[in-house]
Structures are given as structure tokens and as C-alpha cells.
């Protein structure tokens, strides 16, 4: 089945098209995701890199080294408006994530269509509720 779904940052300088279903959605409550999003958790739509066509002239990357693993994670954001676009990581070279909120159409990401995993629930804030009956992991599933 052929898919073409689009998204962009707030100002539109960064835009992308994905051409396949995501592998999953990872909802991450780790401290790094809390800081980089300025929110309770990151909502990452995980793709095979080859399925993402991104106009990334306006993308800036910030390289963070994990305290836990010592490996890098590159945060991608728009140089103009600062919107979080997603990230790539040394630990899993074949994938890139796109921030769920940047997609134009959210309906195809519903839980009956795409698997969701809740990770690093051990560091979740008490104001960031995690639903019952979901796939949840104290740390990661890798
Ligand atoms: Zn922008
Ligand atoms: Zn995280």
C-alpha cells in the first residue's frame, strides 16, 4: 500500500514526506525527552530512515551524549522557529523519529493502526498520566 503523509514545523521552513507506515510510536518519559521537548514526554513516530524524505536545509542538529550509554543522540529542530522535528541516534542507525505533533494529518497514527510503546515510565512526572492497559517499560524495550 502506498502512503504519502506530510508534516512541517511551525514556520514551514522544514517539511517532510513519509512514504511508508511507521514501525511504531514511542512515547518516552526519560529526562532527556522532558528537557528537549519542554514537556512531560516525547512522542516519536519511528521510521526506517529510507522512508523519510525531509527538506532539511533549515534543520539544525544538536548532539547530546547520553549519560547512561555514552552514545550520541542528535536532536533535530528548525533553525528559524525552533520546532522539535525528531531525532536520530547512534544506538539504532537505521531509524529516524519524527515528532508526532508535526504531522498534518494525525488520524492515520491512531492506536488501532500503529503500535504504541511507553518507555522510561520510571521517570514519568506525576502530572503526565500514562493510560492503563498499554505497553509500558520501566526503561526501554531494546
Ligand atoms: Zn520552522
Ligand atoms: Zn526519551
Amino acid at each position: 500500500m502506498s502512503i504519502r503523509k506530510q508534516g512541517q514545523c511551525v514556520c514551514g521552513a522544514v517539511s517532510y514526506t513519509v512514504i511508508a507506515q511507521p514501525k511504531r510510536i514511542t512515547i518516552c518519559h526519560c529526562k532527556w525527552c522532558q528537557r528537549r521537548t519542554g514537556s512531560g514526554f516525547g512522542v516519536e513516530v519511528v521510521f526506517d530512515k529510507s522512508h523519510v524524505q525531509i527538506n532539511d536545509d533549515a534543520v539544525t542538529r544538536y548532539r547530546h551524549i547520553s549519560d547512561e550509554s555514552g552514545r550520541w543522540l542528535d536532536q533535530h529542530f528548525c533553525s528559524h522557529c525552533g520546532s522539535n522535528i525528531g531525532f536520530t541516534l547512534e544506538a539504532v542507525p537505521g531509524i529516524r523519529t519524527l515528532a508526532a505533533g508535526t504531522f498534518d494529518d494525525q488520524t492515520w497514527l491512531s492506536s488501532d493502526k500503529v503500535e504504541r510503546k511507553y518507555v522510561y515510565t520510571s521517570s514519568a512526572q506525576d502530572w503526565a498520566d500514562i493510560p492503563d492497559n498499554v505497553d509500558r517499560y520501566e526503561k526501554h524495550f531494546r
Side-chain angles (χ1 to χ4, degrees), residues 28-47:
C28 184
H29 290 260
C30 82
K31 293 300 284 180
W32 177 66
C33 285
Q34 289 179 27
R35 282 202 197 279
R36 74 186 175 79
T37 62
S39 184
F41 45 86
V43 185
E44 304 305 314
V45 191
V46 181
F47 290 92

Side-chain angles (χ1 to χ4, degrees), residues 85-137:
I85 306 297
F87 62 81
T88 49
L89 67 173
E90 185 178 12
V92 193
I95 64 133
R96 75 161 296 142
T97 79
L98 291 169
T102 60
F103 280 93
D104 297 342
D105 168 21
Q106 301 287 331
T107 58
W108 69 299
L109 298 174
S110 62
S111 60
D112 56 329
K113 298 187 180 117
V114 183
E115 175 191 35
R116 286 183 196 171
K117 289 184 185 295
Y118 291 74
V119 302
Y120 288 96
T121 57
S122 54
S123 44
Q125 299 286 350
D126 70 6
W127 39 264
D129 292 334
I130 299 168
D132 294 330
N133 307 315
V134 293
D135 270 354
R136 52 189 292 168
Y137 303 82

Side-chain angles (χ1 to χ4, degrees), residues 57-69:
D57 294 349
V59 170
T60 297
R61 291 172 186 77
Y62 174 78
R63 180 155 289 188
H64 169 77
I65 307 293
S66 165
D67 315 333
E68 227 170 272
S69 66

Side-chain angles (χ1 to χ4, degrees), residues 8-15 58 77-83 85:
Q8 64 167 58
C9 64
V10 167
C11 77
V14 178
S15 59
F77 55 95
C78 174
S79 321
H80 299 289
C81 69
S83 299
I85 306 297

